[in-house]
Amino acid sequence: MLEDVFGNARRTLNQRECSEDELPGNMMSGEKMLVTIPARKLMTAALAVFTLAWTGLVFAPEVSAAESASGLIADAPGKALRLWYDEPAPDSDAGWADRSIPMGNGYMGVNVFGGTTSERIQITENSLYDWAAKNSGFKRRGVNNFAEFYIDFGHKNVSDYERELSLNEGVSYVKYKQKGVEYSREYFTSYPDKVMVVRLEASNPGALSFTLRPTIPFVGNGKSGAVAAEGDTVTLSGVMTYFNIKFEGQFKVIPTGGRMNASSSEGTITVSDADSAVILIAVGTNYQFDPQVFLTKDPADKLAGFPDPHGKVTGYLVDAAAKSYEQLLANHQADYTELYDRVSLDLGATVPGIPTDELVDAYPAGASSRYLEELAFQFGRYMLICSSRAGTLPPHLQGIWNVYERPPWSSQYLHDTNVQMAYAPAFCANLPELFESYADFFTVFVDRQREWATEYIEKYNPSQLDPNGDNGWSGPFWANPYDVPGKTPIAGFGTGGWISQMFWDYYDYTRDETLLAETVYPVMYEQANFASRFVQEIDGALLAKPSSSPEQYLEGKRKRETIGTTFDQQMFYENHHNTLTAAKILGRTDDRLELYEKQLPLLDPIHVGKSGQIKEFRQEEFYGDAGSTIDRHHRHTSMLLGSYPGQLINDSTPAWLDAVKTTLTLRTRKSHIGWARAERIAFWARVHDGDEAYLFYRDLLEGNYMHNLFNDHRGGLLFQADANYGATAGVAELLLQSQDYVVAPLAALPAVWSDGSYRGLLARGNFEVSAQWSGGQATRLEVLSNVGGTSKLRYPNVAKAVIKTADGKMVDFSAKGTDQISIETMKGQTYVVTDIPVSTPVAAPSNLKIDENDGSQIELAWAGSADAASYNVYRAVGNAPDYERVASGIEGTHFVYKAPDLKKFDQMTLKVTAVRADGRESDEGVTVVRLLPTQM
Ligand code: FUC
């Protein structure tokens, strides 16, 4: 059943095919700490090593990803990765953005500065949100800095300072020496125990003295609160008036040895002459996941009736305090490493002897630049683990980290790329359950979007209105924890389909049918319901009206709206298509599904323009000519979403794939926006150009990554988390693709990554894939089938390789040519591919030109390929997704194409490929658009 649905679904369809400045935000204007890497399921050993490591007895091993007891790449230990610095982060907003170490557990985000005179730790809680009416428009607020707490030590003139974030452990460290004493600290934020834990130690008994000093930032303007200390606990609590949010944070000090003294007037606790101490921190507000929040209009009443956070926060601390430090650490590491350790990437980097800030500054020419590339990939996964946990709010524009009173763009959830980009690595980088955080949030706000859907159908297409209000849900552009707005012209209603795509991916990468039935299908089905009522019959197609392409202007700074943008049409199309596939899997039939089926081909999502581009606007002819103020180098590239993260454009639609490539080339590399660079890594990966994709990764690391690896959106230390997540997803696309249900390892491997290995990336169908390569050639591939089913696998010459199960039994497979095989997999089995004969790619011809085009014949000339024995010529007429071969075995670099129907077609794309003497054809070709002379 699945095989049918996924194998054939795409081929059965005939015609498938606020600007930045407008948005609000005040940002406009030697001895190493040790990291060992616990392999999954080796937690006990890992923790033992960890404990030893911290006491300085063990040194980080150099591991090779291929070394494992079972011999499987999948079981090899992960690569040791850490960020480290030899000085604290400066105590300033710039220091926060550029140098502090971010941590988080969904309940809170924290930024650790690592000071020695005074440690500063800033806490963010995503429901503490301000939206002061007086400051509407561009001066809106957003997520508010929850708390800053200081630990005053007064340590000056320190030596041997080092601070570190171990990505393998999810633990951060500080250590230094002062007056002969070595001071050390460990920090982690625990999801299972809902607290932050800080342990402070001194090498000499009784040498630890400090004052804990929690503070509430930005009190006064719509925010009130107080700090009180009693016994071993400091409590800060207050109210943020606009949404009537009650907030509370508790800080409990547990010293070993020494004395402790609380100052109620100062709100501090002083510890003197202790041997060590643990500080536990819990925070919360009276926010709850409840539709009431979105359905209640009066901001002051949205949280009415929800309990004060005092009980909840106290409970977190009481529960945590009942456990030992070691237990808390073990709980955290079990939770964290179960997620983090699923994936490892080794690009053969040398481990740098320089701190991470110098590593960033030296990039890309540094000796350990490849290490930064590995680090940034895993850092995106780390950030998602910190910021997207079930039961807590999903990551916003700044993830779960914000130091400001008025964060950039109000720390919103923007659904015209930013949210979707945050979740892109959840699927391909094997963290799918982290999506639950967004899924829960969506379930809470969707009731409000249903109301909006009814309003919009009534307004824009009243004949299709269901008077009982069954009009589906409409896609929001922005959201925050308290509101989802009505329409804004900045992005079309395609945002709904784009949101749905995340839900589809949630199923498609896990293949959990209960999840499909209960969570995913209803979301997709209802979005299809909205789209089916919203589209209007215009020129024989069903088009979105009004419609816009995210953030683009057509004329001046006012006109964005038009009819049937590729963005809206593609997103509606993808969702209709996926809804129908899901219905087949679940065995659902009904009248509306029949309607979606009829509507699908009429959604007409892809138009190829006269420049060979995927059109952004229906009225576009040549690239960028649809309006006088179109930005030809715009950061958004929403007409390509069918290629990524969508699936409509894939290897079975090669003419569209070529049009994507043409569009990307015309869009250029000029945008310096972080997330746009991240997105283009993935776009270029999907058209199998790993080298071009790599340039965008390089641009991002060189131009946008700050010293703590936070992404700087566009310069000026404007932190935005989307590119961090997006870069990880983009890199994963270079290493593994499966959009057409063929598992394709190393589908776009950049030449610079000539040797390496990865393990545990996830493909559609829930296959966990690992690979090892050398000199750009795969030496070993592994596919772990998590749920069974057919696994199609594509790699040059894979059909001539040796394929065995992990326990060494030969595997039956069927082959399609030499480069694709199909295996009927068993749940839980790993399939190992070795001895893959090297296949040298065939160089493509270049520089294809039309010398003469008189309507009845076309004279083509091109620059030859050194590998070619002959050439093939193809054509794709109009918007056709695939090519037809019109000539083969051409020996020269010139061809006169005559065909009786040439006069019939206004436009076609011609393509030439090279064929080597051994019969292998170049994967790539060279294309040119031929217009009928009257069209030119
Ligand atoms: C979208 C993007 C901008 C920025 C903003 C927060 O509007 O176009 O580049 O990321 O969100």
Side-chain angles (χ1 to χ4, degrees):
M1 167 72 149
L2 287 187
E3 166 63 356
D4 277 343
V5 172
F6 293 102
N8 303 321
R10 301 269 154 187
R11 302 292 289 171
T12 53
L13 307 161
N14 55 4
Q15 183 55 305
R16 293 163 313 146
E17 306 190 40
C18 95
S19 123
E20 282 246 279
D21 351 301
E22 270 187 8
L23 285 164
N26 65 332
M27 289 297 290
M28 307 287 197
S29 30
E31 186 190 8
K32 297 204 165 70
M33 280 202 193
L34 297 164
V35 180
T36 48
I37 312 85
R40 194 142 54 117
K41 302 181 196 115
L42 291 178
M43 261 315 295
T44 319
L47 283 172
V49 173
F50 165 76
T51 310
L52 289 172
W54 186 240
T55 53
L57 297 174
V58 174
F59 288 88
E62 278 299 313
V63 288
S64 144
E67 279 169 27
S68 72
S70 66
L72 291 178
I73 311 169
D75 289 341
K79 177 139 184 171
L81 292 170
R82 66 182 194 135
L83 286 73
W84 70 279
Y85 306 86
D86 57 13
E87 56 187 7
D91 182 9
S92 61
D93 283 357
W96 178 91
D98 184 47
R99 305 229 172 212
S100 67
I101 286 181
M103 309 191 80
N105 61 357
Y107 294 92
M108 65 177 112
V110 300
N111 288 70
V112 181
F113 286 67
T116 62
T117 317
S118 185
E119 167 66 292
R120 172 183 172 190
I121 298 176
Q122 184 272 323
I123 302 179
T124 304
E125 203 279 352
N126 276 346
S127 68
L128 189 69
Y129 204 88
D130 197 11
W131 197 251
K134 279 192 213 119
N135 292 322
S136 60
F138 298 172
K139 295 284 185 255
R140 284 182 302 209
R141 299 174 177 192
V143 171
N144 197 278
N145 183 340
F146 188 98
E148 302 261 6
F149 74 97
Y150 299 86
I151 312 174
D152 298 327
F153 299 101
H155 292 161
K156 297 192 172 129
N157 303 320
V158 306
S159 64
D160 301 306
Y161 180 91
E162 194 172 299
R163 66 189 168 104
E164 163 181 2
L165 169 65
S166 159
L167 294 188
N168 306 89
E169 297 166 350
V171 177
S172 177
Y173 304 99
V174 169
K175 71 174 181 179
Y176 56 88
K177 289 185 183 140
Q178 197 234 16
K179 295 185 180 159
V181 180
E182 180 165 328
Y183 293 95
S184 55
R185 307 177 208 150
E186 297 169 17
Y187 315 73
F188 60 91
T189 44
S190 166
Y191 174 65
D193 288 311
K194 307 181 180 69
V195 290
M196 179 183 193
V197 183
V198 182
R199 182 161 77 169
L200 311 161
E201 290 187 304
S203 58
N204 295 1
L208 182 68
S209 300
F210 63 87
T211 296
L212 174 74
R213 185 165 51 88
T215 67
I216 306 175
F218 304 121
V219 170
N221 198 359
K223 188 182 185 189
S224 59
V227 186
E230 198 188 334
D232 62 0
T233 302
V234 183
T235 301
L236 60 76
S237 58
V239 176
M240 185 134 236
T241 39
Y242 189 72
F243 291 118
N244 246 327
I245 307 168
K246 294 179 183 147
F247 61 91
E248 178 158 329
Q250 293 186 24
F251 303 72
K252 187 183 183 73
V253 185
I254 309 169
T256 304
R259 299 174 311 283
M260 175 162 64
N261 183 29
S263 162
S264 53
S265 60
E266 304 280 318
T268 60
I269 287 181
T270 298
V271 169
S272 312
D273 309 325
D275 304 332
S276 65
V278 171
I279 304 173
L280 303 177
I281 300 116
V283 301
T285 72
N286 54 337
Y287 185 82
Q288 281 189 2
F289 273 180
D290 190 315
Q292 164 191 318
V293 175
F294 292 90
L295 294 174
T296 305
K297 300 280 176 336
D298 185 343
D301 287 342
K302 282 175 179 283
L303 304 184
F306 297 165
D308 187 283
H310 178 72
K312 175 171 79 175
V313 173
T314 306
Y316 296 163
L317 266 200
V318 168
D319 291 350
K323 296 173 189 164
S324 67
Y325 177 80
E326 286 71 23
Q327 265 177 301
L328 291 169
L329 178 62
N331 287 352
H332 163 61
Q333 293 225 292
D335 167 69
Y336 176 82
T337 58
E338 201 284 317
L339 295 163
Y340 179 85
D341 280 348
R342 292 175 191 174
V343 173
S344 179
L345 172 64
D346 186 345
L347 300 172
T350 52
V351 178
I354 51 172
T356 305
D357 48 346
E358 289 176 35
L359 183 70
V360 171
D361 290 341
Y363 188 84
S368 304
S369 285
R370 207 106 302 151
Y371 186 86
L372 185 62
E373 291 167 359
E374 297 171 348
L375 200 59
F377 168 75
Q378 288 288 30
F379 191 67
R381 296 184 68 247
Y382 167 81
M383 282 176 58
L384 197 63
I385 298 171
C386 292
S387 61
S388 184
R389 301 308 300 265
T392 69
L393 280 162
H396 48 71
L397 283 168
Q398 284 78 32
I400 190 170
W401 298 280
N402 169 56
V403 73
Y404 305 107
E405 186 182 28
R406 289 181 183 167
W409 290 280
S410 304
S411 292
Q412 293 176 65
Y413 298 105
L414 293 190
H415 291 96
D416 74 342
T417 203
N418 318 78
V419 170
Q420 290 88 345
M421 186 167 281
Y423 282 105
F427 309 113
C428 56
N430 207 347
L431 299 165
E433 63 270 68
L434 297 188
F435 182 65
E436 225 177 290
S437 164
Y438 184 85
D440 289 349
F441 178 56
F442 177 90
T443 308
V444 171
F445 77 60
V446 69
D447 281 346
R448 181 72 186 105
Q449 287 304 132
R450 289 187 180 114
E451 291 182 349
W452 285 118
T454 294
E455 208 170 309
Y456 295 136
I457 301 299
E458 196 163 12
K459 179 168 177 191
Y460 295 119
N461 208 10
S463 68
Q464 297 305 310
L465 182 75
D466 181 311
N468 300 319
D470 183 15
N471 296 295
W473 59 273
S474 66
F477 163 54
W478 62 263
N480 67 40
Y482 297 85
D483 277 309
V484 268
K487 184 180 151 18
T488 88
I490 293 175
F493 284 108
T495 52
W498 205 353
I499 290 169
S500 265
Q501 176 82 39
M502 295 191 287
F503 281 86
W504 171 245
D505 288 351
Y506 190 23
Y507 163 72
D508 209 21
Y509 281 85
T510 59
R511 292 291 168 90
D512 177 338
E513 276 190 34
T514 309
L515 188 77
L516 181 65
E518 289 172 5
T519 306
V520 172
Y521 182 71
V523 171
M524 299 196 306
Y525 181 90
E526 275 199 62
Q527 171 56 207
N529 184 12
F530 171 75
S532 68
R533 294 174 193 277
F534 180 70
V535 289
Q536 302 185 30
E537 210 176 315
I538 300 167
D539 298 336
L542 288 174
L543 302 182
K545 182 182 174 206
S547 176
S548 37
S549 188
E551 320 264 346
Q552 269 286 22
Y553 293 103
L554 280 156
E555 302 293 342
K557 288 258 169 183
R558 300 184 80 94
K559 183 167 166 41
R560 293 181 188 269
E561 289 189 344
T562 177
I563 296 170
T565 59
T566 303
F567 167 67
D568 285 337
Q569 298 302 128
Q570 277 188 23
M571 293 295 93
F572 286 170
Y573 180 95
E574 289 278 14
N575 184 62
H576 262 50
H577 178 273
N578 295 338
T579 304
L580 291 166
T581 308
K584 277 186 204 138
I585 294 165
L586 296 173
R588 307 275 171 93
T589 50
D590 64 34
D591 291 354
R592 287 220 79 78
L593 286 167
E594 274 173 32
L595 176 70
Y596 305 161
E597 185 119 39
K598 279 195 204 111
Q599 288 185 329
L600 187 70
L602 299 172
L603 290 173
D604 194 19
I606 303 287
H607 279 240
V608 177
K610 291 181 175 177
S611 308
Q613 84 281 20
I614 303 278
K615 290 185 185 179
E616 184 167 1
F617 297 97
R618 224 172 157 75
Q619 63 272 37
E620 178 177 332
E621 294 199 27
F622 291 93
Y623 174 75
D625 71 0
S628 62
T629 48
I630 297 272
D631 180 349
R632 297 166 60 87
H633 310 297
H634 204 283
R635 60 194 180 284
H636 284 267
T637 321
S638 306
M639 62 288 204
L640 303 186
L641 294 176
S643 71
Y644 177 85
Q647 299 171 259
L648 166 65
I649 303 175
N650 61 47
D651 282 17
S652 68
T653 63
W656 289 352
L657 217 50
D658 284 338
V660 170
K661 201 166 183 172
T662 301
T663 315
L664 286 170
T665 308
L666 291 164
R667 211 62 156 192
T668 72
R669 248 169 86 202
K670 284 189 182 157
S671 175
H672 63 294
I673 299 297
W675 66 257
R677 286 174 163 160
E679 191 181 37
R680 287 183 210 180
I681 302 171
F683 281 137
W684 278 103
R686 289 273 170 110
V687 298
H688 307 309
D689 193 334
D691 290 339
E692 190 69 26
Y694 174 77
L695 294 180
F696 286 90
Y697 193 35
R698 210 181 66 182
D699 286 351
L700 193 56
L701 293 177
E702 193 177 1
N704 301 81
Y705 272 43
M706 296 187 266
H707 293 107
N708 55 0
L709 304 194
F710 266 175
N711 158 61
D712 180 353
H713 176 58
R714 55 153 186 242
L717 305 184
L718 198 168
F719 165 53
Q720 205 164 286
D722 40 22
N724 287 108
Y725 305 119
T728 298
V731 168
E733 292 293 328
L734 298 171
L735 303 170
L736 178 68
Q737 294 178 22
S738 58
Q739 54 276 16
D740 58 349
Y741 300 104
V742 182
V743 175
L746 308 178
L749 186 68
V752 290
W753 293 350
S754 60
D755 300 272
S757 65
Y758 68 78
R759 69 163 159 74
L761 292 177
L762 203 57
R764 289 178 190 276
N766 201 348
F767 298 109
E768 262 182 67
V769 181
S770 304
Q772 192 170 40
W773 66 97
S774 167
Q777 163 74 28
T779 50
R780 186 181 175 99
L781 304 171
E782 293 171 9
V783 178
L784 164 61
S785 172
N786 278 327
V787 292
T790 307
S791 170
K792 293 181 183 163
L793 186 64
R794 181 163 55 228
Y795 191 79
N797 277 343
V798 69
K800 298 179 186 167
V802 174
I803 302 168
K804 293 184 179 168
T805 56
D807 49 5
K809 300 201 179 70
M810 294 301 284
V811 171
D812 282 341
F813 61 87
S814 58
K816 186 176 163 200
T818 54
D819 299 351
Q820 190 173 309
I821 61 167
S822 191
I823 305 172
E824 298 307 321
T825 70
M826 266 176 55
K827 182 176 170 173
Q829 184 60 269
T830 297
Y831 299 84
V832 181
V833 183
T834 57
D835 302 280
I836 311 164
V838 175
S839 163
T840 317
V842 180
S846 55
N847 205 17
L848 178 61
K849 286 206 179 105
I850 298 177
D851 279 347
E852 271 208 51
N853 175 18
D854 71 1
S856 59
Q857 73 173 41
I858 307 166
E859 221 176 306
L860 293 169
W862 58 91
S865 150
D867 295 338
S870 66
Y871 297 93
N872 291 342
V873 177
Y874 298 82
R875 75 176 192 186
V877 171
N879 300 322
D882 204 350
Y883 291 99
E884 10 169 355
R885 193 160 72 188
V886 297
S888 58
I890 301 162
E891 282 178 4
T893 55
H894 179 257
F895 175 65
V896 179
Y897 176 32
K898 292 185 194 168
D901 61 3
L902 287 183
K903 275 199 186 125
K904 274 185 16 201
F905 305 121
D906 289 350
Q907 180 184 327
M908 67 174 68
T909 302
L910 292 155
K911 175 169 183 165
V912 178
T913 60
V915 182
R916 201 163 51 194
D918 63 4
R920 187 172 269 277
E921 188 172 8
S922 56
D923 295 330
E924 301 302 317
V926 56
T927 59
V928 68
V929 176
R930 178 264 186 176
L931 303 175
L932 249 194
T934 53
Q935 295 291 310
M936 295 168 71

